[in-house]
Amino acid sequence: MAALMLVSCNENNNEQETDISERLRNMKSSSVIPVVRENRDKQLDDGYEPLNYEVQKGIWLSYIDLSAMLYEADEAEFCESFDKACKNISALGLNTVYVHLRPFGDALYESSLYPTSAYLYGDFDPLEIICDTAHSYELSVHGWINPLRLQTAGELSQISDSYKTAYWYQSDSDKVRAVENDDHLWLNPAYPEVRELIAQGAAEIAAGYEIDGIHYDDYFYPTTDEYFDRQCFAATSQGQDLDSWRLSNISSMCTEIYSAVKAVDKDISVGISPQGNVDNNYSYMYADVEKWCSQTGYCDYILPQIYYGYNNSIMPFAKTLSRWKSMNTCKDVKLVIGLAAYKIGEEDEFTYNIGIVAQQLSDVLADDDCAGVAVYTYSSLFDPDTELADRISQENALIKAALADEQSEM
């Protein structure tokens, strides 16, 4: 999600990053990085039926939020922290949580395809706890992945080459690329092997856990520069121009993720959360959002991040919402709208107009063309900076009232 890079980590961030770097340096000593616990042998026919709501009322719980809960925590401590988070989410009136499980080509769960995240401590499986706890509060759990973004070069060089991402990087494959002014490496989605790994990773989560959805956001192509995939484009474009070719690559990735998840369980929901600015999706991200909104086989819900105020001079909220509604012509694709609680304290319209997020939420839920809302991010509402605590408390009270009003009208 575009806003992710702008969010500050908690007070222990520097200590955490130093510790994580040290742990990454120690990872290469074994041929395979140990997973957090032995295989759970989940049976696909165990009777679990995914929990998803006709109207989503969701919240993003990012890796930054999770890292604060996981840092040097044992199983009991994490259980307590995540239970508190679910209690907060449920009490506000929300019903869905998008939990960040793969932010950097890593796994905050048990995986044979991706290396264990350096944010994990101890020998417990957080995703098993996440699913069990969230479901006890009747919250739907959607596993949130960033398909293409990887670790830094220094980190990936320390990871066992038994993992494909590390092998590709360490063997100087064109499948892993560097981007100017970005410390992180990126997968190249033009390669079928890359898209297959991403799809398999989504299916692995769906098959291994009582998950209700797979969710990914707007980290698609990281650059418009031709150098990123010049070699592959020359070999495989078959006369397509670069923009069309890249659009096709991302759409192919989406269909492969969708098909892989549905092969595990057709009732697991698949959602994509692109940028709210439609033109930016095409010009910078190579995300063919109009196609995904109008055809089956890409997603079950599309969740544009309409992170704009009513008075935004370029992308006013109502006009932007209207454009997304006009594109969403496929009856099998629900339109859920992302709202920017994180902008309280960052933009004047959000900071000084008390109730702006609650009003946007009410507007969306009252619109028959929309099937829900989502708020970014958990820490913005439940762990704000001290100077924003009173302001956020006011907003939360209004959000809760708006959600309660919507529920009473159903």
Side-chain angles (χ1 to χ4, degrees):
M1 150 161 335
L4 191 62
M5 296 297 192
L6 305 177
V7 181
S8 299
C9 294
N10 60 39
E11 294 176 356
N12 296 323
N13 183 62
N14 292 335
E15 181 183 353
Q16 281 184 252
E17 292 302 321
T18 300
D19 186 59
I20 288 169
S21 297
E22 180 64 29
R23 294 176 70 219
L24 284 165
R25 283 194 291 272
N26 294 332
M27 279 183 171
K28 205 174 182 181
S29 59
S30 61
S31 60
V32 179
I33 301 171
V35 294
V36 293
R37 64 195 295 269
E38 294 181 359
N39 290 335
R40 300 177 330 114
D41 295 324
K42 175 183 180 291
Q43 300 299 313
L44 299 185
D45 60 350
D46 63 0
Y48 178 72
E49 297 182 4
L51 172 66
N52 282 300
Y53 293 92
E54 190 66 25
V55 176
Q56 275 190 45
K57 289 172 275 191
I59 190 165
W60 281 280
L61 205 156
S62 77
Y63 81 93
I64 297 174
D65 301 319
L66 283 173
S67 68
M69 301 180 197
L70 288 165
Y71 183 61
E72 294 187 340
D74 60 23
E75 184 171 1
E77 290 167 330
F78 179 70
C79 284
E80 182 179 358
S81 294
F82 195 76
D83 183 83
K84 179 181 178 182
C86 289
K87 187 177 297 183
N88 288 337
I89 293 167
S90 178
L92 194 63
L94 302 172
N95 62 23
T96 302
V97 57
Y98 319 108
V99 184
H100 217 168
L101 303 180
R102 192 195 313 148
F104 302 108
D106 51 356
L108 280 152
Y109 55 94
E110 180 182 328
S111 176
S112 63
L113 300 173
Y114 291 90
T116 301
S117 174
Y119 289 99
L120 289 185
Y121 294 77
D123 60 354
F124 63 94
D125 186 338
L127 184 50
E128 189 175 33
I129 295 168
I130 286 167
C131 291
D132 290 345
T133 305
H135 290 155
S136 74
Y137 286 89
E138 298 185 344
L139 296 173
S140 178
V141 181
H142 291 210
W144 167 18
I145 61 175
N146 293 120
L148 300 178
R149 187 176 59 182
L150 297 176
Q151 298 90 341
T152 66
E155 291 166 348
L156 202 55
S157 67
Q158 300 300 317
I159 291 172
S160 167
D161 64 5
S162 61
Y163 292 103
K164 287 184 178 180
T165 54
Y167 174 76
W168 289 334
Y169 172 67
Q170 293 168 23
S171 61
D172 200 28
S173 169
D174 190 53
K175 296 180 180 68
V176 173
R177 302 292 294 157
V179 176
E180 188 175 357
N181 299 320
D182 188 341
D183 290 337
H184 290 99
L185 298 168
W186 292 78
L187 287 169
N188 184 345
Y191 287 96
E193 299 92 336
V194 167
R195 299 195 302 269
E196 181 182 21
L197 174 64
I198 294 166
Q200 287 177 340
E204 181 183 50
I205 297 170
Y209 296 88
E210 292 184 342
I211 205 84
D212 305 301
I214 295 293
H215 176 98
Y216 53 103
D217 58 355
D218 61 325
Y219 283 98
F220 300 119
Y221 270 95
T223 181
T224 60
D225 289 339
E226 294 181 6
Y227 77 86
F228 179 79
D229 46 11
R230 182 182 292 115
Q231 176 182 324
C232 191
F233 176 69
T236 66
S237 60
Q238 298 181 332
Q240 284 184 294
D241 63 83
L242 180 63
D243 288 358
S244 298
W245 180 75
R246 286 178 171 175
L247 284 167
S248 177
N249 291 335
I250 295 298
S251 287
S252 293
M253 181 189 77
C254 295
T255 59
E256 290 173 41
I257 292 172
Y258 188 84
S259 297
V261 172
K262 295 300 181 178
V264 174
D265 189 333
K266 63 181 177 57
D267 292 326
I268 293 176
S269 190
V270 178
I272 308 174
S273 182
Q275 289 191 10
N277 186 322
V278 174
D279 296 331
N280 278 358
N281 282 299
Y282 286 92
S283 300
Y284 298 103
M285 316 304 295
Y286 303 97
D288 198 349
V289 292
E290 187 166 4
K291 176 184 284 188
W292 305 345
C293 283
S294 60
Q295 299 180 24
T296 59
Y298 297 98
C299 57
D300 297 307
Y301 67 92
I302 193 154
L303 205 171
Q305 301 161 30
I306 306 186
Y307 292 168
Y308 315 110
Y310 292 100
N311 300 322
N312 187 288
S313 61
I314 300 173
M315 301 291 294
F317 180 79
K319 184 177 180 180
T320 305
L321 174 60
S322 180
R323 185 173 183 185
W324 279 97
K325 287 165 52 180
S326 70
M327 294 193 306
N328 187 226
T329 59
C330 180
K331 64 180 178 60
D332 295 320
V333 179
K334 293 183 176 182
L335 179 63
V336 182
I337 304 303
L339 306 176
Y342 80 93
K343 284 194 172 181
I344 298 172
E346 292 191 7
E347 288 189 9
D348 286 353
E349 186 177 358
F350 283 85
T351 303
Y352 300 115
N353 290 340
I354 296 173
I356 183 173
V357 176
Q359 183 59 57
Q360 291 180 333
L361 183 150
S362 294
D363 290 349
V364 172
L365 291 178
D367 194 320
D368 291 339
D369 292 325
C370 298
V373 293
V375 182
Y376 187 81
T377 174
Y378 176 84
S379 59
S380 300
L381 295 183
F382 298 110
D383 189 24
D385 293 337
T386 302
E387 62 270 21
L388 290 174
D390 290 342
R391 171 68 182 83
I392 294 297
S393 179
Q394 292 174 301
E395 193 74 42
N396 280 350
L398 293 168
I399 290 173
K400 184 174 182 176
L403 289 168
D405 287 345
E406 187 274 338
Q407 183 66 30
S408 67
E409 294 172 3
M410 292 181 63

